Amino acid sequence: MKQFLLLFLISFTMFGQSEYPQDYFRHPLDIPLVLSGTFGELRSTHFHGGLDIKTQQRQGLKVYAAAEGYISRIKISHFGYGKAIYITHPNGYTTVYGHLQKFSKRLEDYIKQCQYDRESFEVEVFPHSEELLIEPDEVIAYSGNTGSSGGPHVHFEIRDNQERPLNPLLFGMEVKDSKPPHVSGVFAYPKDENATINGKNKRVPLRLIPQKTGDYAVETIEAYGNVGFGVISFDKLDYAPNNNGVSNIQTFFNGNKSLEIDFKRISFDETKHIKRMVDYEYFKSNKAKIQKLFIETNNPLSIYKDAYDNGYVHIKDSTSSVYKMRIRDFHGNESWVVVPINGKLETIERDSILDLSKKSFVSSNKATKLTAGNYTVDFYQNTLYDDSYIDFKVSSDTVFLGDDTIAMQKNFYINYDLSNYKAEHQDKLYIARYYGNYWKPYYVSTSRKANVLTAKTKSLGTFALATDNEPPKITPTNFHDKKWISNYRYLKLKIEDELTGISKYRATVNGKWILMEYDYKTNTLVHDFNDNVVKDTKNEFKLIVTDNVGNSSTFEATFFRK
């Protein structure tokens, strides 16, 4: 322990947290480094905190420790990173490896003991610094597709000593990238009601003109007042067709730097505020992310630098100006966008005035409560980024809260008074969100206290009271009652619940708990007989599965093994 701490202190002093050692970390696979996701990439609800490394559509590839250290955390969950390992290194950094199929034998033995001790597939443990030491180039796991992954890959992170993810490419890992970023859209935004773009006081798409040089120009615009700009851009690496995130964006107004966005380090505390950086309404309506090149109120992101007037530019009447964007990937490939501007004060062309008398005002800086019928909707302080008017009405057991085009910082709460329902019917009720072509109900995380049902969500929309009386379905897939399965390594079943989803499950053999790994993407439960807990010839198997309103199903069968 003393030797490890001494090495930690020496390395920390040498490298510091403002420098990035170039030859310290290796990449975690022994195949070429090809990425399906880059650091800082814009996801629906967060910035991507690491690299997604392609595994050639395969699972089971060896995953190596990036450097020596000790296992400081192991987490297994149904969602998120699935099976994940965290290694703390003597230089103060921590590496993270996610979506793993399984761990190396000694780590697998360690975590399975924890799972059996706790009688839970989902576990999170924090071994002490001398418990699971890791050697350089040690195989720690095998690549997989666990958790919320969309296909086989390894999610890899490097975090500083404050648990803030850094771009792993800063540490000398090489990825082939010879292509400049691509720009597919440019937009202009008025800052206030007095600003205009092409005579309009709203977001305006600008006509993009690709240049022979690979850069872009925009058709000259006429504008006046305080204006901001936005861009849709992405990067493509060599050997991969994916649309990846860019690394840096700089803006200039008449030759002076206006703003810089640098995707070098992103804190987990702020990653949810991606909703403030992108045009959320446009994203929800068009499925494309406009990166706003200006900083609005209630935007706590630390990725901005050199922000003059928060990235807005002031355009005067009868003047000519030039706004430029410089968009770069990590390897220095860059694309420029040039926006010529003629200053012109003109009468604002406004859309029809919205009738706000039928909408409900929700404050961004203080709590707001909306009440109608049996519903109460609570927006606590700082739930919204901006003061907003929301369509709010109640019809019978349905509450309408407009469209999901207003970004939320945190959950709001929908409460329904169940007093009109008989006590024996209340347990199976939940609040569902309705959307899609078939107006299908989707379960919203719901709890009940006394006669009040409460759902929490970050999405506006249409919600209604719903009932789930259907228990989960359990189907064995590789055995049946009274079957001999001596030559089988795995016991497999499918579990499904159409309305509210699976909440928990418990499996036993001869009354003893057994570990069954759950993959929600395939609805499968799997027990590995190599766990060596099933030792009898005749075995009584029992599985209880419960959904999110408490409906349970029980499956029992007898199987035999030699």
Side-chain angles (χ1 to χ4, degrees):
M1 178 63 178
K2 290 182 179 179
Q3 291 179 338
F4 188 91
L5 288 176
L6 180 60
L7 185 56
F8 177 98
L9 291 172
I10 293 173
S11 298
F12 186 85
T13 301
M14 288 174 59
F15 294 121
Q17 289 299 290
S18 60
E19 301 175 4
Y20 308 103
Q22 296 300 291
D23 299 314
Y24 192 90
F25 295 114
R26 59 161 290 171
H27 94 71
L29 299 173
D30 53 11
I31 59 175
L33 188 60
V34 180
L35 303 182
S36 60
T38 53
F39 184 84
E41 199 167 272
L42 309 182
R43 302 293 171 88
S44 295
T45 59
H46 62 280
F47 297 96
H48 191 227
L51 304 179
D52 283 345
I53 304 174
K54 285 178 174 285
T55 57
Q56 302 172 342
Q57 294 297 316
R58 294 184 289 165
Q59 298 189 50
L61 300 184
K62 292 179 179 179
V63 177
Y64 297 86
E68 67 176 325
Y70 70 91
I71 304 287
S72 53
R73 182 183 179 192
I74 302 176
K75 184 175 182 180
I76 297 178
S77 57
H78 298 146
F79 307 103
Y81 292 170
K83 295 184 178 182
I85 288 176
Y86 301 69
I87 300 177
T88 296
H89 303 280
N91 63 354
Y93 294 101
T94 296
T95 52
V96 183
Y97 315 76
H99 306 306
L100 304 171
Q101 180 189 63
K102 61 181 180 179
F103 306 128
S104 64
K105 186 179 185 309
R106 73 179 178 113
L107 300 184
E108 191 80 5
D109 291 345
Y110 175 91
I111 200 64
K112 281 198 172 183
Q113 186 62 55
C114 296
Q115 290 173 309
Y116 275 96
D117 289 344
R118 301 181 187 185
E119 295 191 355
S120 175
F121 168 63
E122 291 191 296
V123 294
E124 184 175 17
V125 296
F126 300 88
H128 61 73
S129 59
E130 291 185 337
E131 195 169 1
L132 295 172
L133 296 177
I134 298 297
E135 298 294 327
D137 299 321
E138 181 175 339
V139 175
I140 56 170
Y142 298 86
S143 67
N145 188 28
T146 58
S148 301
S149 60
H153 71 277
V154 172
H155 175 85
F156 178 68
E157 294 179 17
I158 299 180
R159 300 182 182 181
D160 65 16
N161 66 338
Q162 298 181 51
E163 284 293 303
R164 296 174 298 186
L166 294 152
N167 190 342
L169 297 182
L170 291 167
F171 295 81
M173 297 183 183
E174 295 186 2
V175 176
K176 181 67 173 176
D177 183 2
S178 61
K179 303 174 183 179
H182 178 78
V183 177
S184 61
V186 175
F187 301 79
Y189 293 79
K191 181 180 181 182
D192 51 49
E193 62 183 11
N194 298 315
T196 63
I197 303 107
N198 291 339
K200 299 179 181 180
N201 182 245
K202 63 179 183 179
R203 177 188 64 220
V204 175
L206 307 181
R207 191 167 79 86
L208 198 62
I209 307 170
Q211 305 293 291
K212 292 181 179 180
T213 60
D215 294 322
Y216 303 83
V218 168
E219 191 173 55
T220 300
I221 66 170
E222 295 180 340
Y224 176 80
N226 294 313
V227 174
F229 291 88
V231 63
I232 300 176
S233 62
F234 57 86
D235 189 41
K236 284 186 178 292
L237 309 178
D238 295 10
Y239 314 124
N242 313 82
N243 292 338
N244 299 121
V246 302
S247 182
N248 184 278
I249 302 176
Q250 297 175 350
T251 66
F252 304 87
F253 184 59
N254 292 334
N256 297 314
K257 190 174 183 182
S258 179
L259 179 74
E260 181 174 355
I261 303 175
D262 190 19
F263 297 97
K264 181 182 295 182
R265 180 179 66 199
I266 298 171
S267 167
F268 285 113
D269 293 336
E270 62 183 68
T271 188
K272 65 180 179 181
H273 295 294
I274 186 175
K275 292 182 178 181
R276 196 53 167 166
M277 177 193 176
V278 303
D279 185 329
Y280 187 77
E281 184 276 331
Y282 188 90
F283 166 63
K284 298 303 291 188
S285 302
N286 299 277
K287 307 304 178 187
K289 302 180 184 73
I290 302 173
Q291 301 173 76
K292 297 176 183 176
L293 306 180
F294 51 92
I295 307 171
E296 298 169 291
T297 57
N298 295 322
N299 184 338
L301 292 170
S302 61
I303 57 177
Y304 301 106
K305 298 168 59 177
D306 302 331
Y308 179 76
D309 200 15
N310 287 324
Y312 290 99
V313 298
H314 184 69
I315 302 168
K316 298 179 181 179
D317 188 27
S318 303
T319 61
S320 296
S321 304
V322 176
Y323 181 88
K324 293 183 178 181
M325 307 174 193
R326 182 188 191 187
I327 303 167
R328 292 186 290 180
D329 61 28
F330 180 83
H331 295 85
N333 302 304
E334 62 182 40
S335 297
W336 285 83
V337 180
V338 179
V339 184
I341 306 168
N342 286 335
K344 184 177 182 181
L345 175 62
E346 56 187 322
T347 302
I348 298 175
E349 177 187 326
R350 300 186 186 275
D351 292 333
S352 299
I353 298 174
L354 296 175
D355 182 5
L356 299 178
S357 64
K358 296 181 180 179
K359 293 178 178 284
S360 297
F361 177 76
V362 180
S363 174
S364 62
N365 58 17
K366 63 181 180 180
T368 302
K369 185 184 294 290
L370 307 179
T371 302
N374 290 327
Y375 277 103
T376 299
V377 183
D378 287 315
F379 296 90
Y380 296 117
Q381 184 179 14
N382 298 323
T383 296
L384 280 68
Y385 289 100
D386 297 305
D387 293 347
S388 301
Y389 285 88
I390 292 176
D391 287 317
F392 171 67
K393 62 180 179 179
V394 171
S395 175
S396 185
D397 289 338
T398 302
V399 57
F400 301 92
L401 288 167
D403 297 320
D404 181 24
T405 56
I406 298 175
M408 302 285 164
Q409 296 194 58
K410 55 187 180 182
N411 289 315
F412 63 94
Y413 297 85
I414 304 170
N415 309 290
Y416 187 93
D417 187 344
L418 297 171
S419 299
N420 294 334
Y421 285 81
K422 293 181 180 180
E424 60 267 28
H425 296 155
Q426 293 182 4
D427 286 345
K428 306 306 178 185
L429 294 171
Y430 66 100
I431 295 175
R433 183 167 183 248
Y434 284 77
Y435 58 93
N437 294 333
Y438 300 99
W439 209 237
K440 181 180 177 181
Y442 289 85
Y443 173 78
V444 180
S445 179
T446 306
S447 61
R448 183 164 68 91
K449 185 175 182 180
N451 289 331
V452 177
L453 203 62
T454 299
K456 62 179 181 179
T457 178
K458 291 181 180 178
S459 300
L460 296 175
T462 299
F463 302 83
L465 206 61
T467 302
D468 182 3
N469 289 312
E470 296 296 321
K473 295 179 182 179
I474 304 174
T475 308
T477 57
N478 72 338
F479 75 104
H480 55 75
D481 191 31
K482 309 296 185 184
K483 183 173 183 177
W484 281 87
I485 53 174
S486 301
N487 296 325
Y488 288 23
R489 176 173 173 179
Y490 300 105
L491 190 71
K492 299 180 180 181
L493 301 97
K494 228 177 227 305
I495 59 173
E496 301 171 274
D497 190 84
E498 184 177 354
L499 291 177
T500 59
I502 304 299
S503 172
K504 58 184 177 180
Y505 63 90
R506 179 179 176 83
T508 58
V509 170
N510 301 328
K512 185 177 181 180
W513 184 86
I514 62 167
L515 173 64
M516 299 204 78
E517 299 199 359
Y518 176 46
D519 182 353
Y520 78 94
K521 295 193 289 285
T522 58
N523 298 314
T524 56
L525 284 177
V526 178
H527 172 71
D528 187 346
F529 285 120
N530 283 358
D531 288 357
N532 201 31
V533 296
V534 178
K535 300 179 180 179
D536 296 333
T537 300
K538 182 180 180 180
N539 297 280
E540 303 295 338
F541 175 78
K542 184 177 183 179
L543 173 65
I544 302 173
V545 182
T546 306
D547 67 19
N548 277 296
V549 297
N551 297 308
S552 291
S553 294
T554 300
F555 173 84
E556 296 182 89
T558 301
F559 65 84
F560 300 90
R561 286 175 61 85
K562 287 184 180 179

